[in-house]
């Protein structure tokens, strides 16, 4: 059997105050072969110096400067494209996610699911802190998708997920701005009728820095991926075609030379 291995992608923007603690917790919790990719938008971001100072020459940790455009979605897809392992996990730089869940999420992907979600809204999960309205909207979206669209998780909007790397590269990532990639890829898996599974998690709101989540700008984009989760089975080509149309609505026409992933 091929040993388990994971690429952990962390989009980061000015997270120099907390990134060292997050890296310590990750490297302590993950027992399988791991590379950690901290992705920033600018080489002058103070996160870069903080990571270098803390990990030194630890080959497991790399800092990447995203060239796909600013914002978390571009940072995440840049990290996924750079991933060298068969499973990729997206987690946040603010310490809100529980890194002890990464090993079992990876094992779920190894067993055959294409998306393994850390779920705040399944039995045993919890969301502690954070804006009340944002939490209510997220919970309603997640549970309704789980019940009515049968997407395989009650928390499709959570960014903390493990993916089969080949699956992501096959369907592409079409989001270009916010954190809607988790919902996008879950919806794509559902329309392809590919397996999605979940494990309960306890999410804790950040204690250092400020969230960059822009509800007003990003909720309309989430809603388009939400609607996409409902519908008959599609082929990969159909998924990519329909996703490209959603991307044009969400982001405007992408440059011809830009990659889908």
């Amino acid at each position: 059997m091929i040993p388990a291995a994971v690429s952990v992608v962390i989009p980061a923007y000015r997270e120099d105050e907390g990134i060292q603690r997050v890296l310590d917790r990750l490297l302590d919790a993950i027992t399988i072969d791991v590379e950690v990719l901290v992705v920033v938008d600018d080489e002058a971001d103070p996160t870069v110096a903080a990571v270098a100072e803390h990990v030194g020459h630890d080959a497991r940790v790399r800092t990447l400067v995203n060239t796909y455009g600013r914002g978390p979605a571009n940072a995440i897809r840049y990290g996924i494209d750079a991933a060298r392992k068969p499973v990729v996990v997206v987690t946040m730089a603010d310490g809100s996610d529980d890194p002890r869940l990464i090993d079992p999420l990876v094992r779920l992907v190894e067993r055959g699911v294409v998306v393994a979600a850390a779920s705040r809204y399944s039995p045993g999960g919890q969301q502690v802190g954070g804006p009340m309205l944002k939490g209510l909207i997220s919970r309603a979206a997640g549970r309704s998708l789980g019940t009515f669209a049968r997407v395989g998780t009650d928390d499709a909007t959570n960014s903390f997920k493990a993916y089969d790397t080949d699956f992501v590269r096959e369907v592409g990532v079409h989001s270009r701005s916010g954190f809607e990639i988790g919902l996008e890829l879950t919806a794509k898996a559902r329309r392809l009728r590919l397996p999605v599974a979940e494990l309960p998690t306890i999410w804790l709101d950040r204690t250092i820095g400020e969230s960059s989540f822009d509800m007003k700008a990003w909720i309309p984009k989430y809603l388009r991926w939400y609607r996409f989760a409902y519908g008959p089975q599609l082929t990969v080509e159909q998924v990519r075609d329909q996703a490209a149309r959603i991307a044009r609505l969400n982001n405007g026409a992408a440059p011809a030379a830009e990659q889908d992933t």
Side-chain angles (χ1 to χ4, degrees):
M1 177 181 293
I2 299 175
V6 61
S7 297
V8 178
V9 175
I10 308 175
Y13 175 72
R14 304 188 69 84
E15 295 286 359
D16 48 303
E17 290 186 54
I19 192 65
Q20 297 176 345
R21 182 179 64 178
V22 169
L23 291 174
D24 284 344
R25 293 176 64 217
L26 278 168
L27 296 175
D28 181 62
I30 299 171
T31 65
I32 58 180
D33 179 23
V34 62
E35 65 168 358
V36 178
L37 308 177
V38 181
V39 188
V40 298
D41 288 340
D42 187 333
E43 62 184 8
D45 189 307
T47 309
V48 177
V51 172
E53 177 184 345
H54 191 60
V55 303
H57 300 290
D58 191 331
R60 295 174 296 175
V61 181
R62 291 192 286 151
T63 302
L64 306 178
V65 179
N66 158 39
T67 61
Y68 288 176
R70 302 188 68 84
N74 285 318
I76 291 169
R77 67 190 189 92
Y78 187 88
I80 291 173
D81 280 353
R84 300 168 177 169
K85 308 299 184 183
V87 181
V88 61
V89 167
V90 176
T91 189
M92 296 298 104
D94 59 11
S96 57
D97 301 322
D98 184 353
R100 295 173 300 175
L101 205 60
I102 290 176
D103 278 15
L105 288 172
V106 172
R107 299 294 184 187
L108 278 175
V109 176
E110 283 192 318
R111 291 172 58 192
V113 306
V114 296
V115 179
S119 175
R120 299 162 291 183
Y121 309 131
S122 61
Q126 191 176 355
Q127 181 169 321
V128 180
M132 184 173 67
L133 179 59
K134 175 186 170 185
L136 289 172
I137 293 172
S138 173
R139 182 184 298 268
R143 287 190 166 170
S144 59
L145 282 171
T147 300
F148 301 115
R150 301 175 65 188
V151 296
T153 175
D154 283 336
D155 199 356
T157 63
N158 195 1
S159 296
F160 186 25
K161 290 183 172 70
Y163 304 100
D164 180 300
T165 306
D166 288 340
F167 159 74
V168 179
R169 291 174 177 168
E170 182 177 30
V171 301
V173 174
H174 291 80
S175 297
R176 294 292 186 269
S177 54
F179 292 97
E180 67 265 27
I181 285 176
L183 175 55
E184 172 192 341
L185 291 173
T186 303
K188 287 176 175 177
R190 175 55 187 158
R191 295 302 298 273
L192 291 167
R193 300 300 189 261
L194 293 174
V196 175
E198 68 177 7
L199 292 171
T201 192
I202 296 177
W203 179 92
L204 303 175
D205 192 26
R206 65 186 301 147
T207 57
I208 298 174
E210 297 181 359
S211 171
S212 60
F213 190 92
D214 186 343
M215 283 185 60
K216 183 176 180 180
W218 292 344
I219 282 181
K221 302 176 183 183
Y222 274 82
L223 285 172
R224 293 188 178 100
W225 293 118
Y226 178 95
R227 291 194 294 266
F228 179 66
Y230 294 86
Q233 183 173 357
L234 301 175
T235 65
V236 171
E237 292 75 17
Q238 289 171 326
V239 163
R240 291 179 68 97
D241 286 346
Q242 293 195 25
R245 286 195 288 272
I246 292 172
R248 285 193 289 272
L249 290 171
N250 279 352
N251 314 305
E258 188 172 49
Q259 302 177 10
D260 278 340
T261 58

